[in-house]
């Protein structure tokens, strides 16, 4: 059976657009805080977005049906392309030395592992700190699931992608896009609630946003080397525990 390479490339281009969009968001935050790397982050987003747009444009006339084998390819290649494109902000800003270190940090982010090679996190520009947190947030939700929520706009069926991600869908009544959209909405709402709770507990707006992104993904990245311990605040520690428990109980285990 011939592999539908056009739909695979089309989908990967869409994932790159998502990544590029969040790089622009990081650039906006960098501009607000005047951390000196706004231009590099804009360039990162531009490069990734242009590549994504080209992949979409050159493969727009594709067969919109995706089989199981192609679904597996999309998932595997999707994670790979997100990780490699996610290294670009680090490369252009020069905030992490050596590609192996950059690759490790980016992979740890998207897989929501939380391990880091950075000793002094505090010295990183705000734009890069936010980008680290975003990779955690996207990885915790599952980039493929997030993309499936948008699939109706692309005219692509996403059930095979759900199966490729290891989810049991045969007994699920709603369409795959409805499931993904529901998960995405819940994830976003809990993230916003977590950020508000952190802010009310004593964090700055910047720290609250970043820690909410990494808490709901159950990853562990922080804006400080000592993580939550830096604040020495019982209310913040309780908030972190409660948010982590909420994610584990509200969202399916696959995304916890």
């Amino acid at each position: 059976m011939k592999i539908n390479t056009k739909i695979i490339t089309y989908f990967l281009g869409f994932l790159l657009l998502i990544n590029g969009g969040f790089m622009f968001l990081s650039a906006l935050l960098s501009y607000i805080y005047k951390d000196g790397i706004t231009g590099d982050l804009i360039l990162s987003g531009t490069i990734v977005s242009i590549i994504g747009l080209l992949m979409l444009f050159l493969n727009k006339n594709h067969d919109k049906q995706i089989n199981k084998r192609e679904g597996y390819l999309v998932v595997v290649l999707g994670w790979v392309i997100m990780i490699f494109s996610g290294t670009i902000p680090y490369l252009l800003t020069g905030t992490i030395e050596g590609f192996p270190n950059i690759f490790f940090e980016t992979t740890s982010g998207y897989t929501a592992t939380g391990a880091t090679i950075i000793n002094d996190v505090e010295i990183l520009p705000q734009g890069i700190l936010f980008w680290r947190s975003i990779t955690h947030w996207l990885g915790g939700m599952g980039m493929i699931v997030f993309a499936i929520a948008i699939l109706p706009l692309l005219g692509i069926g996403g059930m095979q992608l759900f199966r490729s991600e290891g989810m049991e869908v045969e007994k699920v009544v709603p369409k795959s896009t409805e499931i993904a959209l529901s998960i995405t909405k819940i994830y976003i709402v809990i993230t916003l609630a977590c950020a508000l709770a952190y802010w009310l507990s004593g964090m700055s707006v910047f720290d609250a946003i970043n820690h909410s992104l990494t808490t709901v993904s159950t990853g562990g990245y922080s804006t400080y080397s000592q993580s939550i311990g830096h604040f020495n605040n019982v209310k913040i520690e309780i908030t972190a525990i409660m948010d982590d428990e909420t994610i584990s109980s509200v969202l399916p285990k696959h995304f916890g």
Side-chain angles (χ1 to χ4, degrees):
M1 182 183 295
K2 186 178 180 181
I3 297 177
N4 187 354
T5 57
K6 281 196 171 185
I7 195 172
I8 294 174
T9 306
Y10 190 86
F11 193 91
L12 296 179
F14 179 68
L15 289 177
L16 286 178
L17 281 183
I18 294 175
N19 233 13
F22 280 107
M23 289 177 192
F24 286 129
L25 185 60
S26 299
L28 175 61
L29 190 139
S30 171
Y31 174 77
I32 292 173
Y33 282 92
K34 308 295 182 184
D35 62 4
I37 61 168
T38 304
D40 294 324
L41 290 175
I42 291 176
L43 180 58
S44 300
T46 301
I47 292 172
V48 173
S49 297
I50 288 177
I51 295 174
L53 285 172
L54 285 173
M55 292 170 71
L56 289 176
F57 179 76
L58 296 175
N59 297 277
K60 60 182 180 180
N61 297 320
H62 59 268
D63 182 357
K64 296 181 180 180
Q65 294 302 315
I66 185 168
N67 61 40
K68 190 172 184 178
R69 180 171 57 173
E70 292 160 354
Y72 281 120
L73 281 173
V74 165
V75 170
V76 173
L77 295 177
W79 284 108
V80 170
I81 200 169
M82 291 300 289
I83 290 172
F84 274 98
S85 63
T87 65
I88 295 178
Y90 298 114
L91 288 169
L92 294 185
T93 59
T95 47
I96 299 179
E97 294 184 1
F99 186 77
N101 291 333
I102 293 173
F103 185 78
F104 180 91
E105 194 75 14
T106 310
T107 303
S108 178
Y110 281 109
T111 56
T113 304
T116 180
I117 51 85
I118 303 172
N119 293 322
D120 299 316
V121 177
E122 294 88 344
I123 67 174
L124 293 177
Q126 284 88 344
I128 283 294
L129 286 174
F130 182 71
W131 175 245
R132 289 174 77 243
S133 301
I134 282 293
T135 61
H136 248 8
W137 189 75
L138 291 173
M141 175 170 54
M143 277 304 308
I144 306 301
V145 173
F146 180 67
I148 289 173
I150 317 296
L151 278 175
L153 299 177
L154 306 179
I156 301 174
M159 193 61 72
Q160 292 297 344
L161 296 183
F162 258 101
R163 294 193 180 103
S164 302
E165 277 280 85
M167 295 189 68
E168 180 65 35
V169 296
E170 282 78 9
K171 298 180 180 179
V172 179
V173 176
K175 295 180 180 179
S176 59
T177 50
E178 294 175 354
I179 301 170
L181 188 58
S182 296
I183 292 172
T184 302
K185 287 179 179 178
I186 294 171
Y187 197 74
I188 292 173
V189 168
I190 294 178
T191 302
L192 294 174
C194 181
L196 178 61
Y198 274 138
W199 179 67
L200 293 175
S201 298
M203 282 189 182
S204 67
V205 173
F206 179 78
D207 287 335
I209 292 174
N210 279 273
H211 283 86
S212 67
L213 294 173
T214 59
T215 298
V216 297
S217 62
T218 63
Y221 277 170
S222 174
T223 52
Y224 299 97
S225 299
Q226 294 181 328
S227 191
I228 294 295
H230 165 85
F231 299 96
N232 193 27
N233 186 318
V234 175
K235 292 188 294 183
I236 290 176
E237 293 173 6
I238 293 175
T239 299
I241 294 172
M242 291 179 63
D243 286 323
D244 187 62
E245 289 297 321
T246 300
I247 282 290
S248 299
S249 60
V250 173
L251 292 183
K253 184 177 180 181
H254 177 76
F255 302 98

